[in-house]
């Protein structure tokens, strides 16, 4: 009896017992070795007729059923047709998820239009220098000659639109759009194209105001400084002096921020507005932050300001092109000689008010340690401020479109007086009187102008009203500490007048604290001035 088994026995050659038990059979006849080994020799037998495998039997059965089904379907087409339950039909891919408006790089037209409409009515408050109707046309109906503004500006405008909307479905995405605006600024500065430079500048200014508005002063200072660097590198401070366009001298533009010639008179006007918008931003906020201005006004040929004072944008192309040199120095000399006159635009007056506000702060700081040796210069600058305030348009003749500009320009003019005199109120009754008169004039603006019709306000007003409340509070303390001396001076206001004025400043600040985070931040300081007296 052999213990060896063949490597493979052909199908159907195993004996019946081995096949039933699924055991390996060697196929020996008449009795296989498996059956002999396990004493089943009497059971061992072979089926000489080929027996189909179980799988084959099932396949044949299925084939007969399918054939029968086909016959039945052909006999009666109305019958429900069966299908193979094991057939794997291709699975259709699910429809793409619908993206929300904030999940795509560019908001859909409906949302973009809404955000632009939220921003534009307040754009001038936050340094927007492009002509509004032309900007809207290029945004939503661009042409080859007037292409759509680049992403860097669109993102800044969308950010402001979201912030000003006060609608939760939009403000919930404010952080996302701030991130986009910052990313696009970085990308634009890294790969600046000459034709996009003005848009990058506008985005920097809008971001600076956005951060100041939201009480994020360090970031606001950064973007304000970036805007100043851009305008200087582009030569926008030299759009006068007999030149029809800004300089494109690459020695002044180490990063290549040069501008092509303006396409028309309106674009040239936008560039002039771009310079003075940046100038105002810098001059106002260096005082608030206690830092030096990066725009110098000396006679150095490379830094001297020669850009003419701005007209209203709509006037460009309708009036002769003005030419200037030594713009700031000429303005100051005109005030000294009394030859200053009212400007052709509110915006020019606004820029002059900002220039005086910063200039008086700078000089008063220098003169504080030795005022006696600078008394003549002090008196001259004081006279300049008073003459300038006489040229300001009357706040009593106002239309709703000019309310905000009048409020800011008058407040800057009066705060220039405060900045010049406030360091000397303890030793000079004249300085005390000038400060209190200026503070009361600022309060009176909130009574004359319909300020409560303004939905929002330039954040610099938080600084100016804080300064005003501090002067009024100091006046009240002085009045109560030396009542007899104060009462002898008819030029000084009484206690009830000062208290009423201080309350009005607080009320105005509280009103705008709802829409201005920076005003809300300064509100506690303004209220404290009332508590301190």
């Amino acid at each position: 009896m052999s213990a060896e088994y063949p490597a493979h026995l052909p199908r159907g050659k195993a004996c019946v017992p081995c096949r039933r038990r699924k055991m390996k059979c060697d196929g020996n006849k008449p009795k296989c070795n498996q059956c002999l080994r396990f004493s089943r020799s009497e059971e061992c037998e072979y089926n000489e007729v080929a027996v189909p495998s179980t799988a084959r039997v099932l396949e044949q059965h299925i084939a007969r059923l399918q054939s029968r089904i086909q016959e039945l379907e052909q006999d009666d087409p109305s019958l429900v047709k069966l299908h193979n339950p094991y057939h794997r039909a291709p699975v259709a891919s699910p429809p793409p998820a619908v993206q929300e408006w904030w999940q795509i790089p560019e908001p859909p037209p409906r949302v973009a239009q809404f955000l632009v409409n939220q921003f534009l009515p307040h754009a001038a408050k936050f340094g927007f220098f492009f002509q509004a109707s032309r900007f809207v046309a290029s945004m939503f109906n661009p042409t080859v000659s007037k292409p759509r503004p680049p992403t860097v500006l669109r993102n800044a405008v969308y950010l402001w639109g979201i912030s000003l909307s006060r609608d939760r479905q939009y403000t919930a995405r404010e952080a996302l759009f701030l991130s986009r605006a910052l990313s696009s600024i970085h990308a634009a500065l890294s790969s600046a194209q000459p034709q996009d430079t003005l848009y990058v500048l506008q985005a920097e200014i809008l971001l600076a105001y956005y951060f100041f508005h939201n009480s994020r002063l360090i970031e606001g200072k950064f973007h304000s400084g970036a805007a100043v660097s851009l305008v200087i590198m582009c030569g926008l401070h030299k759009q006068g002096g007999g030149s029809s366009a800004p300089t494109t001298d690459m020695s002044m533009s180490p990063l290549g921020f040069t501008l092509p010639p303006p396409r028309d008179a309106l674009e040239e006007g936008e560039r002039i507005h771009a310079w003075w918008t940046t100038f105002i931003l810098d001059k106002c906020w260096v005082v608030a932050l206690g830092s030096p201005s990066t725009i110098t006004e000396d006679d150095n040929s490379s830094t001297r300001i020669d850009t003419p004072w701005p007209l209203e944008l709509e006037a460009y192309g309708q009036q002769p092109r003005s030419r200037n040199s030594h713009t700031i120095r000429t303005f100051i000399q005109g005030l000294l000689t009394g030859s200053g006159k009212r400007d052709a635009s509110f915006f020019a007056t606004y820029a002059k008010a900002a220039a005086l506000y910063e200039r008086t702060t700078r000089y008063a700081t220098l003169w504080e340690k030795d005022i006696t040796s600078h008394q003549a210069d002090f008196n001259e600058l004081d006279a300049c401020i008073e003459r300038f305030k006489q040229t300001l348009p009357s706040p009593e003749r106002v239309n709703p479109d000019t309310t905000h500009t009048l409020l800011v320009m008058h407040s800057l003019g009066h705060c220039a007086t405060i900045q010049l005199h406030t360091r000397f109120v303890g030793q000079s009754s004249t300085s005390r009187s000038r400060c209190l008169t200026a503070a009361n004039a600022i309060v009176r603006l909130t009574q004359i102008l319909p300020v409560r019709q303004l939905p929002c306000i330039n954040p610099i007003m938080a600084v100016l009203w804080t300064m005003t409340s501090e002067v009024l509070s100091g006046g009240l303390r002085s009045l109560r500490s030396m009542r007899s001396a104060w009462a002898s001076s008819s030029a000084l206001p009484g206690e009830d007048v000062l208290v009423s004025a201080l309350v009005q400043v607080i009320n105005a600040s509280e009103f705008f604290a709802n829409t201005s985070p920076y005003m809300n931040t300064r509100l506690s300081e303004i209220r404290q001035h009332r508590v301190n007296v």
Side-chain angles (χ1 to χ4, degrees):
M1 181 169 59
S2 174
E4 295 181 1
Y5 298 91
H8 179 72
L9 195 66
R11 180 181 292 278
K13 298 300 182 180
C15 70
V16 174
C18 286
R19 208 163 49 232
R20 187 170 59 248
R21 291 182 171 87
K22 293 183 172 58
M23 299 178 68
K24 192 169 185 179
C25 182
D26 57 9
N28 286 338
K29 295 181 181 178
K31 305 294 180 183
C32 74
N33 286 328
Q34 283 282 30
C35 290
L36 292 173
R37 182 181 176 189
F38 291 101
S39 302
R40 292 194 297 266
S41 59
E42 68 280 0
E43 298 177 16
C44 187
E45 59 180 15
Y46 291 90
N47 191 342
E48 300 298 334
V49 179
V51 178
S53 65
T54 302
R56 178 59 181 163
V57 170
L58 290 174
E59 288 173 358
Q60 291 172 350
H61 183 61
I62 291 171
R64 286 195 299 272
L65 289 174
Q66 288 175 334
S67 175
R68 180 56 181 157
I69 289 169
Q70 290 175 358
E71 291 175 3
L72 292 172
E73 288 177 341
Q74 290 172 358
D75 291 341
D76 188 355
S78 66
L79 294 175
V80 177
K81 297 185 178 182
L82 302 179
H83 67 277
N84 184 356
Y86 301 102
H87 175 67
R88 299 180 67 88
V91 179
S93 58
V98 177
Q99 289 184 305
E100 299 289 353
W101 64 268
W102 64 84
Q103 295 175 316
I104 55 181
E106 176 72 15
R110 174 185 59 81
V111 174
Q113 184 75 62
F114 173 81
L115 297 178
V116 170
N117 289 343
Q118 293 297 304
F119 167 69
L120 281 181
H122 315 291
K125 299 182 182 77
F126 306 112
F128 191 74
F129 56 74
F130 285 109
Q131 205 270 343
S133 61
R134 187 148 87 167
F135 172 76
V136 171
S138 64
M139 273 287 292
F140 300 107
N141 297 289
T143 63
V144 174
S145 61
K146 296 177 182 177
R148 197 175 195 202
T151 303
V152 64
L153 179 54
R154 297 202 307 271
N155 282 342
V157 169
Y158 295 151
L159 173 64
W160 263 113
I162 287 171
S163 178
L164 294 170
S165 72
R166 306 189 70 189
D167 186 328
R168 179 61 185 167
Q169 68 168 311
Y170 294 104
T171 56
R173 312 300 166 190
E174 190 168 345
L176 171 63
F177 275 78
L178 173 58
S179 176
R180 288 185 185 179
L182 294 173
S183 296
S184 56
I185 277 279
H186 177 75
L189 290 172
S190 300
S191 57
Q193 299 297 318
Q195 66 272 17
D196 291 341
T197 303
L198 215 60
Y199 297 115
V200 177
L201 170 63
Q202 180 66 93
E204 288 283 17
I205 292 172
L206 291 179
L207 279 173
Y209 274 107
Y210 175 84
F211 284 120
F212 288 139
H213 172 76
N214 284 283
S215 198
R216 296 166 65 169
L217 303 186
I218 300 301
E219 292 152 296
K221 181 180 180 181
F222 173 82
H223 289 282
S224 175
V228 172
S229 297
L230 271 175
V231 292
I232 296 296
M233 288 191 292
C234 292
L236 290 180
H237 60 308
K238 293 194 166 297
Q239 297 180 82
S243 173
S244 62
T247 180
T248 55
D249 182 1
M250 290 300 293
S251 66
M252 292 184 62
S253 303
L255 300 181
F257 288 104
T258 57
L259 292 172
R263 293 171 296 177
D264 52 32
L266 178 55
E267 185 170 302
E268 183 178 5
E270 288 176 333
R271 295 183 183 191
I272 292 172
H273 273 238
W275 162 255
W276 290 113
T277 298
T278 310
F279 179 91
I280 291 169
L281 174 66
D282 177 74
K283 295 300 181 182
C284 287
W285 285 96
V286 295
V287 175
L289 299 171
S291 57
S293 174
T294 49
I295 296 176
T296 58
E297 300 158 23
D298 55 32
D299 287 333
N300 184 296
S301 60
S302 64
T303 59
R304 186 183 68 226
I305 299 172
D306 293 329
T307 299
W309 297 109
L311 306 173
E312 300 296 342
L313 277 174
E314 291 71 16
Y316 287 96
Q318 300 176 9
Q319 297 184 18
R321 186 180 297 169
S322 60
R323 291 286 170 260
N324 274 59
S325 61
H326 302 276
T327 307
I328 299 295
R329 189 178 72 179
T330 302
F331 162 58
I332 298 297
Q333 287 177 341
L335 291 176
L336 287 171
T337 59
S339 59
K341 57 183 180 180
R342 188 162 295 179
D343 297 297
S345 75
F346 276 20
F347 189 47
T349 309
Y350 186 3
K352 290 178 179 179
L356 276 177
Y357 173 65
E358 186 275 334
R359 188 183 188 89
T360 54
T361 305
R362 175 161 36 96
Y363 282 116
T365 303
L366 293 173
W367 298 337
E368 183 178 7
K369 295 179 181 179
D370 184 17
I371 186 59
T372 54
S373 60
H374 296 284
Q375 192 65 52
D377 294 329
F378 180 93
N379 293 337
E380 279 190 346
L381 186 52
D382 188 32
C384 284
I385 297 170
E386 294 306 310
R387 291 191 184 112
F388 171 74
K389 288 192 288 189
Q390 291 172 9
T391 69
L392 292 173
S394 172
E396 296 178 344
R397 299 176 183 176
V398 64
N399 65 65
D401 294 336
T402 60
T403 297
H404 185 270
T405 305
L406 282 168
L407 174 66
V408 178
M409 73 167 68
H410 276 268
S411 297
L412 284 171
H414 293 303
C415 281
T417 295
I418 292 173
Q419 289 292 80
L420 183 63
H421 286 276
T422 192
R423 293 165 176 79
F424 312 108
V425 293
Q427 60 199 70
S428 168
S429 59
T430 300
S431 289
R432 185 185 307 117
S433 176
R434 286 292 180 85
C435 285
L436 287 170
T437 301
N440 275 291
I442 293 171
V443 174
R444 187 166 177 268
L445 289 170
T446 65
Q447 301 169 320
I448 299 173
L449 295 171
V451 294
R452 289 178 181 263
Q453 295 179 14
L454 297 171
C456 58
I457 201 168
N458 187 319
I460 197 63
M461 287 305 304
V463 177
L464 305 183
W465 281 346
T466 303
M467 192 184 306
T468 302
S469 66
E470 185 175 7
V471 169
L472 295 171
S473 176
L476 276 168
R477 288 195 302 272
S478 296
L479 172 61
R480 290 168 180 173
S481 63
M482 48 183 185
R483 191 174 298 273
S484 58
W486 188 289
S488 66
S489 175
S490 59
L492 297 175
E495 181 174 346
D496 56 338
V497 174
L498 294 179
V499 171
S500 175
L502 188 52
V503 169
Q504 288 179 62
V505 173
I506 294 171
N507 290 342
S509 303
E510 288 175 340
F511 178 79
F512 287 105
N514 294 322
T515 56
S516 171
Y518 186 50
M519 185 71 77
N520 190 52
T521 299
R522 301 300 293 262
L523 183 57
S524 59
E525 184 178 351
I526 294 172
R527 285 172 172 161
Q528 191 63 39
H529 289 146
R530 176 71 178 92
V531 173
N532 290 342
V533 297

